[in-house]
Amino acid sequence: MSRPVSITLQNSQDGIAIADAIMADNPEAERKSFPAMTKIDCPGRLVIRGESVSELLGREWDPQEIHMSVISLSGTVDEDDGSFTLFWR
Amino acid sequence: MAARKLSLKQKYGHFTRGLDWEPSYQKKEDIFPFATFEGIKIHDWDAWEDPFKLTMDAYWKFQAEKERKLYAVIDSMAQNNGQLGITDARYLNAVKIFLQGVTPLEYQAHRHFAHLARHLPGAGLRVAAQMQSIDELRHCQTQIHTISHYNKYFDGLHDFTHMHDRLWYLSVPKSFFDDAMSAGPFEFLTAISFSFEYVLTNLLFVPFMSGAAYNGDMATVTFGFSAQSDESRHMTLGLEAVRFLLEQDEANVPIVQRWLDKWFWRGYRLLGLVGMMMDYMLPKKVMSWAEAWETYFEEAGGALFADLARYGIREPKYAEVAKAEKGHMTHQVWGIFYNFAHAAAVHTWDIDDQHMAWLRDKYPETFEKHYQPRYLAWREQAEQGNRFYSQGLPQLCQVCQIPMAFTEVGDPTTISFRVSEFEGDRYHTCSDGCKDIFDHEPEKFKQAWLPVNQIFQGNCGGATLPEVLDWYHINQGADNLDYVGSPEEAQWNKWMEGRRPTMPIAAE
């Protein structure tokens, strides 16, 4: 079994949209709710697509805006213009 | 034709590599004198991979936005008497430990990352360290603003920098950072960015901040999450730094492994304070220490160390001990604070029946058998007017500086106690983990400033407890002792009385 990567997001408007986008784009992701935050675990690899978040928010969302919403993460980070990926090598 | 817009990766590449230069009239080793003395070998600084690709324009934009959001919440707290929205005044004692203990560490982190931003030979790493240095200063400032709010209404927050240098339990976090800052640059990165931020701050910030939200403390949750969004970047820096060291040269592997062993254990001991806050000081609880440990160390840390296994790195030494102790550790730390609450700038209290039921549920193997009887005995004494305060001074561990109250693994009735000899003197440590650390660097740890030893040597204001407490700047009778009977309790009850709706009175 591949090892889980994980991201924890604030329960803010943006954070919830990011979490919803992750759940839509990563079928194996598992979502857990806590007061003020949401933790998502996913085996091996998790992708946040800028387009998916933009669609949910109804505005252009740049993956670098993740800095406004992320609380914690586990995994290796790869960031480019269109997406933000967490993975184990 | 308009110039093509640079991609994020290109833009970041220009920023972190393109602006650096090779020295021509000075030797590189003279410019970066700290880069080699730890024995770490780096062959190619450009092989450093930057996980987050923040350029300065984006950095300022996002950080400014974070600040705006944070101060909107703090202003709203100040204008709406937000302190009345917390679950109970006892909760604030957890925040006091956090703010007394962590705020000065943020400042120390700021200082040392600025040092790394000057002294690391690789430009990518230097830029990351520079941003982190600015972040840490921001965290320190936002925490001071939170202190400033709560200091108007609660005791114990009036002199945190003075207390940081003197108070016995604050020497635990202080000594941790002093140890890291007096090490070389790569050990500092491994200690703070990797072991502390990556492996352990999840335990510190995440469930505790969620708990702060659950307990109505919007100031703490806001600075906490605002800081933690930076921590995600810092953690990633730590992981990449460790990977980079491991990939550059095989000779780095045993050095890094030793640092991982050392700083895992030091971080774990430090987190005893946070575990206690979670299990004992949050009126409404999110998860127990044991649950948080399983989620964030056993699960997340397990995945991480499996990833590092390809370099020949194993789980930190004594991780098994930490796993085995998870049912005991927080109860033992609370015991220390309960016994010494007369000498602390926080209050402790009787664990009521409802709280005991929660602890029995979360710690079915250990709580009822080993800790509940102790609390019931303390309660009985308090009810007879003899609330127990230890009148002696405890033996402190020479490394973690925590009073020796931890027990042997598998034998919770025997105190764990180790002795090392160095240059004809005896040094006491609380565990195999701390003894290993001492034995590897006795010249360093023999210099530890241990509060109890200093009191006995007459260096802390005098020979009596009131003199020492004055020297700490503790307002005696207000900052210290049990919550019951404290001015804080009286004030809280008055506030709550004032918030109850008054019955309409009919005109006669």
Side-chain angles (χ1 to χ4, degrees), chain B residues 86 88-97 150 154 157 217:
Chain B
I86 61 172
D88 190 278
R90 287 175 305 162
Y91 159 78
L92 225 278
N93 287 285
V95 176
K96 289 178 201 172
I97 294 185
Y150 282 133
F154 298 91
L157 286 166
D217 180 10

Side-chain angles (χ1 to χ4, degrees), chain B residues 174-467:
Chain B
K174 180 183 193 300
S175 76
F176 182 96
F177 252 75
D178 284 354
D179 186 359
M181 289 173 72
S182 53
F186 298 115
E187 183 176 347
F188 181 85
L189 272 177
T190 311
I192 304 301
S193 299
F194 183 78
S195 296
F196 188 69
E197 308 226 39
Y198 196 90
V199 184
L200 298 165
T201 59
N202 271 317
L203 279 156
L204 174 67
F205 277 89
V206 179
F208 181 70
M209 291 305 162
S210 181
Y214 206 23
N215 285 279
D217 180 10
M218 290 321 289
T220 297
V221 73
T222 308
F223 83 66
F225 281 168
S226 185
Q228 191 64 20
S229 61
D230 297 342
E231 303 298 341
S232 303
R233 194 156 19 85
H234 306 166
M235 288 150 69
T236 311
L237 167 70
L239 175 59
E240 290 306 321
V242 162
R243 276 217 189 99
F244 175 68
L245 299 183
L246 297 172
E247 279 168 5
Q248 284 290 310
D249 200 298
E250 264 185 46
N252 295 342
V253 175
I255 303 174
V256 171
Q257 181 72 59
R258 183 172 275 287
W259 289 338
L260 295 179
D261 293 346
K262 171 182 174 183
W263 289 99
F264 162 78
W265 188 258
R266 292 222 62 185
Y268 164 68
R269 275 291 189 244
L270 179 58
L271 283 185
L273 288 168
V274 184
M276 171 187 81
M277 284 149 63
M278 288 167 57
D279 277 349
Y280 282 88
M281 302 180 93
L282 298 183
K284 284 166 77 175
K285 298 169 200 311
V286 172
M287 61 175 87
S288 68
W289 161 261
E291 288 165 334
W293 183 255
E294 284 159 13
T295 303
Y296 291 104
F297 186 76
E298 295 179 19
E299 199 177 293
L304 166 69
F305 283 102
D307 195 62
L308 295 176
R310 90 185 64 155
Y311 303 108
I313 291 291
R314 52 163 171 71
E315 269 209 348
K317 200 174 175 186
Y318 304 121
E320 290 305 319
V321 174
K323 286 180 202 170
E325 282 181 349
K326 70 189 167 199
H328 295 280
M329 195 254 283
T330 59
H331 318 306
Q332 296 177 354
V333 178
W334 177 254
I336 298 171
F337 272 82
Y338 186 89
N339 285 331
F340 291 99
H342 54 316
V346 291
H347 302 299
T348 55
W349 47 84
D350 170 49
I351 297 307
D352 66 23
D353 292 339
Q354 199 190 354
H355 192 161
M356 280 200 211
W358 184 83
L359 288 164
R360 280 196 301 273
D361 179 49
K362 295 296 178 187
Y363 296 99
E365 309 285 317
T366 58
F367 182 75
E368 191 168 4
K369 184 169 179 204
H370 297 291
Y371 303 101
Q372 182 172 303
R374 190 181 290 180
Y375 297 155
L376 290 174
W378 287 343
R379 180 187 293 176
E380 202 184 311
Q381 281 179 300
E383 282 169 355
Q384 289 164 5
N386 303 314
R387 199 288 196 190
F388 178 74
Y389 295 109
S390 173
Q391 294 308 306
L393 297 183
Q395 171 76 57
L396 301 181
C397 172
Q398 188 76 22
V399 173
C400 71
Q401 307 212 1
I402 297 175
M404 300 261 207
F406 295 114
T407 52
E408 294 288 354
V409 177
D411 180 8
T413 58
T414 303
I415 295 287
S416 163
F417 188 88
R418 303 287 179 274
V419 183
S420 298
E421 293 211 9
F422 182 66
E423 294 172 340
D425 285 323
R426 289 158 69 82
Y427 295 89
H428 303 97
T429 43
C430 69
S431 52
D432 292 331
C434 282
K435 184 178 189 314
D436 274 9
I437 294 168
F438 179 87
D439 289 345
H440 186 64
E441 295 174 285
E443 297 88 349
K444 184 174 203 177
F445 288 98
K446 77 170 187 184
Q447 304 174 61
W449 193 95
L450 295 171
V452 168
N453 303 31
Q454 294 296 323
I455 291 170
F456 279 130
Q457 286 171 36
N459 296 329
C460 300
T464 67
L465 183 67
E467 287 170 308

Side-chain angles (χ1 to χ4, degrees), chain B residues 128-147:
Chain B
Q130 185 190 0
M131 285 178 180
Q132 180 156 354
S133 173
I134 302 167
D135 293 341
E136 304 288 4
L137 188 59
R138 186 177 83 87
H139 302 171
C140 180
Q141 288 170 335
T142 60
Q143 286 163 29
I144 291 171
H145 281 112
T146 305
I147 288 174

Side-chain angles (χ1 to χ4, degrees), chain A residues 3 10 34-37 64-65 67-68 70-79 81 84 88-89, chain B residues 7-9 52-53 62 65-66 198 202 206 210 213 228-229 232-233 235 240 243 287 303 306-307 310:
Chain A
R3 288 163 284 128
Q10 293 186 34
F34 296 96
M37 67 183 194
Q64 284 203 315
E65 288 182 51
H67 288 287
M68 301 300 301
V70 65
I71 296 167
S72 182
L73 47 80
S74 167
T76 306
V77 169
D78 186 32
E79 196 183 53
D81 295 277
F84 181 94
W88 289 119
R89 288 171 215 219
Chain B
S7 75
L8 179 65
K9 285 182 179 171
F52 281 104
K53 295 176 180 63
F62 292 129
E65 186 61 28
K66 281 185 201 171
Y198 196 90
N202 271 317
V206 179
S210 181
Q228 191 64 20
S229 61
S232 303
R233 194 156 19 85
M235 288 150 69
E240 290 306 321
R243 276 217 189 99
M287 61 175 87
D307 195 62
R310 90 185 64 155

